[in-house]
Amino acid sequence: MAELARRRQGYMNVNAAFRRYRTDLMNFLWTVHKDSVTVEAREVVEEARRDHHSVFAEAQVVASGAVLAELNNMTKALSETYRRIMCLEEGNPDADGSFDEIRTDFVQLWEQWEKMLDAMRADLGVENSSTEQAWVGS
């Protein structure tokens, strides 16, 4: 029972950190698009990134194999989105690294997040997947 509680807490922490990092990346992309990047705006992203790395490291030691695979996929996708945004901000974007093209990365991040959340819920024995419950009551 203690192991299940530990996994649940780790999953909740990493889920919150991923959501915050994704949101802060999205906000920073808009800041880059508006050409209004400040030291403070960059620090918000860097703080979310550091938090993500820390929480991810904790989750790695408690996650099941299936969840760990999804965590790794999500982390790779977030890292690539971060890299693409920073290249755009520095004036050296990828060939497919325009504002609009990077915005589509966030749709893919959302889909990856749903897969990760489904794996976490399944590992914890929760019956309904996130995709079945995502918009109930909307």
Side-chain angles (χ1 to χ4, degrees):
M1 192 55 127
E3 179 63 29
L4 180 63
R6 217 173 108 189
R7 279 198 329 263
R8 189 171 108 214
Q9 187 63 49
Y11 294 170
M12 287 187 313
N13 291 344
V14 79
N15 185 40
F18 278 134
R19 290 178 69 114
R20 176 180 172 220
Y21 187 26
R22 182 178 43 90
T23 298
D24 288 343
L25 279 174
M26 213 172 357
N27 291 341
F28 190 74
L29 177 61
W30 277 102
T31 301
V32 170
H33 181 64
K34 293 176 189 175
D35 198 27
S36 59
V37 174
T38 63
V39 171
E40 293 81 15
R42 185 178 274 273
E43 183 53 34
V44 167
V45 171
E46 294 305 324
E47 181 181 325
R49 185 171 182 238
R50 285 188 301 270
D51 184 49
H52 159 261
H53 288 306
S54 175
V55 172
F56 175 68
E58 292 174 17
Q60 285 179 306
V61 298
V62 298
S64 69
V67 171
L68 186 57
E70 293 302 331
L71 288 172
N72 286 334
N73 290 339
M74 186 67 177
T75 298
K76 287 175 190 171
L78 279 167
S79 294
E80 179 61 9
T81 301
Y82 170 87
R83 185 195 65 76
R84 288 166 49 83
I85 292 170
M86 292 304 146
C87 286
L88 178 64
E89 193 261 329
E90 293 166 1
N92 192 23
D94 293 351
D96 63 347
S98 71
F99 168 77
D100 288 325
E101 290 165 319
I102 295 173
R103 270 186 18 183
T104 65
D105 290 357
F106 289 98
V107 173
Q108 295 167 347
L109 285 173
W110 184 265
E111 292 167 359
Q112 187 63 47
W113 172 78
E114 286 180 333
K115 290 177 189 175
M116 180 190 75
L117 188 58
D118 282 347
M120 289 175 178
R121 291 171 58 89
D123 187 48
L124 295 173
V126 178
E127 291 182 29
N128 294 327
S129 72
S130 63
T131 53
E132 292 169 350
Q133 295 296 314
W135 302 110
V136 171
S138 296

